[in-house]
Amino acid sequence: MSHDLRFTRSALLQQRAHHLIPGGAHTYAKGDDQYPVLAPGFIERGHGCRVWDVDGNEYIEYGMGNRAVGLGHAYRPVVDAVREALKDGCNFTRPARIEVECAETLLDLIEGAEMVKFCKDGSDATSGAVRLARAYTGRDLVACCADHPFFSTDDWFIGTIPVNAGVPEATRRLTVTFRYNDIASVRQMFETHQGQIAALIMEAARADEPENDFLHEVQTLCRQNGTLFILDEMITGFRWHRGGAQREYGIVPDLSCFGKALGNGFAVSALAGKREYMRLGGLDHTDRPRVFLLSTTHGAETHALAAAMATTRTYRDEPVIEHLYRQGETLRRGLSQAAERHRIGHLVKPVGRGCCLAFTTFDEDGKPSQGLRSLFLQETIRRGVLMPSLVVSYAHDDEAIERTIEAIDGALAVYARALEDGVERHLVGRPSQVVYRRFNTPPESDATPAMAASR
């Protein structure tokens, strides 16, 4: 693994990208501001758990397309299924047979779900669930968990975050929030907005596990208040359990939303749920108004559904989930042991389930530090590992895990020195920034990508 990486082509592409694309990328989590200056700007190709940037540098990758690639890049059974579907076309005037077959395949895995509609991204699925709940209940308010970072690009959620420019104030007032593992906050929310909340949406878990039967208590309150209980399984689905986190925790929501790993990187997501609610988007009911539910030109492209079927069958037939947990726990131990060796185990710690591992980067006062996070990323990148998280895939073998732990150990040695003599002596250029900030930081002191590339 080289410590002497060059990013010349990336720097040139970054200049062009920012001229043509707001933010320089089509996903804010992939933006330049989320990484140190010494980082690959563009990925050329990937195979398994490894990727190569446009300058030819090789990395063991984690996060895997923001958790969308659970089996590994270019996973052969999925690619073969996509190729087979594409040779006969991908989009027609009437539905394709694979739409029924894929629905049956997914619903076989999701306990309690009776109907499903496919779409392209998580925002479509969660917003479809919200619209359905509002139509069913005749109410306007939506409740979402304030401790879960992202539910949709649509106004009903974006209005709750600092980057809410462009969302009307009237729309912002239609979403209320509660705290995770704080049932009192949920109860208070329902008391404050009696008879007004159409839907409550949350992830089953993030870094923290549900405590004191929290999920079931929330569901009980939803039932008592006539509110639909929605689980966002974009991340937990196909990681916590092949049947989703709902299977892991033994709870059946009214509606649930799947995406990301559903197609191993191909664009497909799903809104699944009980027939009582989903039928309102159909053609057969006459007792309620129709719901215009997820009508998308590309939502059921045959190659994407072929990818979803191949992916779900792999999860069904192979020990994917077990592998994710095993490799993640090995990483947890490796990071923890390395941090303890460098006497910073209280500052850099693995967090979350082994199947979906992240890490903390604190300063000497125990406060989150973007500077130290950037330095940690910079130093692992120099050692051939691209790890905004430690989210593994089915392709992360023992060798990859071992090399990653070695890279982490080397990076933490630099981290420890930076605590003594200052981050600025080790970090090249500006630190990364949080996505949810109301204004951009003035660029006066920032080192540009082009300057950094020459180092």
Side-chain angles (χ1 to χ4, degrees):
M1 294 185 182
S2 173
H3 288 228
D4 224 4
L5 303 179
R6 294 291 183 269
F7 303 109
T8 306
R9 292 180 179 175
S10 273
L12 293 173
L13 273 175
Q14 285 171 320
Q15 294 176 8
R16 292 166 57 190
H18 283 281
H19 180 68
L20 299 169
I21 304 165
H26 295 286
T27 306
Y28 281 118
K30 298 181 182 182
D32 295 335
D33 61 337
Q34 299 303 291
Y35 290 85
V37 169
L38 290 187
F42 293 84
I43 302 300
E44 187 75 24
R45 61 189 177 92
H47 191 272
C49 67
R50 289 171 169 78
V51 295
W52 289 261
D53 68 18
V54 293
D55 289 283
N57 302 307
E58 177 183 345
Y59 310 90
I60 299 169
E61 187 196 28
Y62 291 88
M64 304 298 289
N66 296 339
R67 301 178 178 86
V69 184
L71 301 176
H73 298 296
Y75 187 70
R76 179 57 64 85
V78 175
V79 173
D80 287 348
V82 170
R83 184 181 293 112
E84 182 66 21
L86 279 175
K87 70 181 180 61
D88 292 322
C90 68
N91 208 331
F92 313 109
T93 305
R94 297 301 308 278
R97 178 168 58 184
I98 196 172
E99 297 181 38
V100 178
E101 296 170 346
C102 190
E104 291 173 339
T105 300
L106 180 62
L107 292 174
D108 281 345
L109 283 180
I110 311 304
E111 183 178 348
E114 299 169 303
M115 301 185 80
V116 62
K117 286 208 83 171
F118 294 111
C119 42
K120 280 300 179 191
D121 60 34
S123 294
D124 285 347
T126 56
S127 291
V130 165
R131 179 182 297 166
L132 200 57
R134 281 172 163 162
Y136 182 83
T137 63
R139 302 171 177 177
D140 292 337
L141 296 189
V142 175
C144 65
C145 183
D147 299 302
H148 295 165
F150 187 76
F151 289 104
S152 176
T153 61
D154 291 312
D155 286 359
W156 67 266
F157 171 70
I158 295 301
T160 69
I161 67 173
V163 195
N164 58 14
V167 179
E169 180 62 34
T171 301
R172 298 180 199 177
R173 290 196 294 267
L174 294 178
T175 303
V176 295
T177 61
F178 61 93
R179 308 311 299 239
Y180 189 73
N181 272 337
D182 183 354
I183 197 63
S185 74
V186 183
R187 191 174 291 111
Q188 180 61 53
M189 180 187 68
F190 276 117
E191 290 175 359
T192 302
H193 306 283
Q194 288 186 25
Q196 300 177 66
I197 301 176
L200 181 149
I201 185 169
M202 64 184 297
E203 296 181 73
R206 293 284 293 188
D208 298 327
E209 290 292 303
E211 299 173 353
N212 302 318
D213 217 20
F214 180 68
L215 296 179
H216 294 80
E217 290 294 320
V218 170
Q219 185 177 51
T220 297
L221 286 172
C222 285
R223 287 173 175 167
Q224 291 173 350
N225 288 275
T227 297
L228 268 63
F229 179 56
I230 305 169
L231 280 183
D232 178 343
E233 292 254 28
M234 294 299 156
I235 290 174
T236 56
F238 302 103
R239 283 200 174 273
W240 266 237
H241 189 286
R242 60 182 54 86
Q246 55 195 271
R247 181 74 66 86
E248 177 74 4
Y249 298 123
I251 191 166
V252 178
D254 297 313
L255 301 168
S256 52
C257 305
F258 291 84
K260 291 193 181 289
L262 175 59
N264 199 50
F266 285 91
V268 59
S269 58
L271 167 59
K274 297 177 181 178
R275 188 177 309 278
E276 178 182 358
Y277 313 115
M278 296 291 291
R279 71 183 183 93
L280 299 186
L283 305 179
D284 301 328
H285 69 285
T286 58
D287 57 322
R288 287 174 175 268
R290 293 180 62 200
V291 177
F292 198 82
L293 180 65
L294 294 175
S295 180
T296 59
T297 297
H298 302 288
E301 288 175 316
T302 58
H303 68 286
L305 298 189
M309 291 180 67
T311 299
T312 54
R313 286 169 177 166
T314 302
Y315 278 87
R316 182 193 66 192
D317 299 337
E318 298 189 29
V320 179
I321 302 295
E322 296 82 353
H323 181 87
L324 301 183
Y325 276 103
R326 182 173 61 253
Q327 301 300 71
E329 290 303 326
T330 302
L331 276 174
R332 185 197 304 278
R333 289 191 299 273
L335 189 154
S336 296
Q337 291 168 1
E340 289 298 332
R341 280 195 300 274
H342 295 288
R343 303 180 184 277
I344 54 174
H346 58 303
L347 303 179
V348 183
K349 298 183 288 187
V351 294
R353 287 197 165 208
C355 62
C356 194
L357 207 61
F359 52 83
T360 63
T361 49
F362 294 136
D363 63 19
E364 58 273 16
D365 296 322
K367 297 179 180 178
S369 170
Q370 286 297 123
L372 286 166
R373 174 179 169 80
S374 302
L375 178 63
F376 189 39
L377 293 181
Q378 171 186 286
E379 295 304 313
T380 49
I381 287 168
R382 279 178 162 166
R383 292 161 176 79
V385 179
L386 183 59
M387 45 173 277
S389 70
L390 284 172
V391 176
V392 297
S393 75
Y394 196 34
H396 282 84
D397 56 19
D398 292 343
E399 179 190 4
I401 299 299
E402 181 180 349
R403 295 182 69 181
T404 300
I405 293 172
E406 291 174 359
I408 288 172
D409 185 68
L412 288 179
V414 180
Y415 193 113
R417 290 199 298 272
L419 289 171
E420 296 180 358
D421 52 25
V423 175
E424 64 280 357
R425 296 192 59 178
H426 301 274
L427 178 64
V428 177
R430 45 86 186 139
S432 61
Q433 300 184 60
V434 296
V435 170
Y436 291 166
R437 60 186 192 276
R438 188 161 179 78
F439 293 97
N440 290 320
T441 302
E444 290 85 9
S445 61
D446 291 355
T448 66
M451 290 168 58
S454 65
R455 176 175 172 138

